[in-house]
Amino acid sequence: MCARGERPAPDDDEDDEELAGFDAAVALFNGGEYHACHDVVEELWYSAEDPARTLLHGVLQCAVGFHHLFNQNHRGAMMELGEGLCKLRRLRLEDDDDDQGPFSRFRDEVAAVLSFLYRTQKELAASMAHRSGNDELCLAMDGSATSYQLLGDFAAGQRLYRQGVDADGVPSILFSGRASGDYLAPPCTVKLPSLHATEQHLTALQRAHEYS
């Protein structure tokens, strides 16, 4: 293991370990083992080259974001998911490309979750601010970086989000917000992102960059 940001000289054995490690990371992410996924992806990220390096960094930050989300750190979740999404968008993945499709679908699912978190946090903040007579704070919730930093302190430490399934049996994130003991609205859901990519997809992404 090397210092953060340093890249050991690659060799064939290391390349094989990296690919196997990526499959392991995907399995951990899809199994909800976000902390363990972070540890595996971080090791891959150290020695990766762009564009795989950027993609791995995005996946790493998303794993951290979901770990925060299900451990009642709402602000941390939104910030990490937002930064991870920015890196995935930077790759300009093509939806109709067989090799890039799994990554673009993952990007879109993360974007949907971030929008869901912002909407539910804003709704909760508006309700609690109104009850406290601080309506001006709600006007700042405009989707900017500043507004993301403001959100999260409302109901901090409460279990607002949990893993479950929706009415169709799809793995989802369930929100049940409370304000002063009262539910804001019936529980609502968004699909829990999953990553259906393999080592072959990661290799194809890298090769497409090398030969473009």
Side-chain angles (χ1 to χ4, degrees):
M1 184 172 176
C2 59
R4 187 178 185 86
E6 295 181 2
R7 301 178 185 177
D11 55 42
D12 292 340
D13 291 339
E14 185 176 88
D15 288 344
D16 290 341
E17 290 176 2
E18 178 171 327
L19 295 177
F22 181 71
D23 281 346
V26 169
L28 289 168
F29 187 97
N30 292 339
E33 300 290 337
Y34 300 115
H35 189 279
C37 174
H38 161 272
D39 292 344
V40 173
V41 175
E42 187 173 48
E43 288 299 315
L44 304 179
W45 176 71
Y46 283 141
S47 57
E49 300 287 343
D50 274 328
R53 182 176 173 85
T54 296
L55 184 137
L56 289 169
H57 199 179
V59 172
L60 184 154
Q61 289 186 297
C62 289
V64 173
F66 286 114
H67 176 75
H68 284 327
L69 182 65
F70 298 123
N71 285 277
Q72 296 81 53
N73 181 358
H74 314 132
R75 179 191 291 180
M78 295 176 74
M79 297 301 291
E80 291 291 343
L81 289 172
E83 292 179 8
L85 180 60
C86 284
K87 291 179 176 62
L88 296 174
R89 284 176 169 167
R90 190 184 305 164
L91 293 171
R92 300 185 182 279
L93 300 165
E94 298 294 336
D95 295 343
D96 57 355
D97 187 303
D98 290 340
D99 293 321
Q100 297 183 20
F103 299 128
S104 65
R105 286 191 291 274
F106 178 72
R107 174 203 61 203
D108 293 345
E109 289 180 1
V110 171
V113 168
L114 191 59
S115 178
F116 173 81
L117 295 181
Y118 184 79
R119 177 174 62 82
T120 53
Q121 283 284 304
K122 184 176 180 180
E123 179 185 357
L124 182 63
S127 176
M128 297 182 72
H130 178 71
R131 288 171 181 266
S132 65
N134 189 14
D135 291 337
E136 291 184 1
L137 180 59
C138 298
L139 299 177
M141 304 304 172
D142 57 0
S144 65
T146 300
S147 68
Y148 275 99
Q149 293 171 3
L150 289 171
L151 290 173
D153 286 337
F154 297 94
Q158 292 187 26
R159 192 185 181 203
L160 302 180
Y161 304 94
R162 59 187 175 86
Q163 297 184 58
V165 295
D166 65 12
D168 297 320
V170 176
S172 302
I173 299 171
L174 283 63
F175 170 76
S176 296
R178 289 178 179 270
S180 299
D182 298 323
Y183 279 106
L184 293 174
C188 51
T189 67
V190 66
K191 183 182 183 300
L192 181 66
S194 56
L195 181 56
H196 298 290
T198 66
E199 57 192 55
Q200 286 80 14
H201 292 108
L202 185 63
T203 301
L205 177 70
Q206 190 67 33
R207 287 176 177 169
H209 172 75
E210 292 172 354
Y211 293 106
S212 61

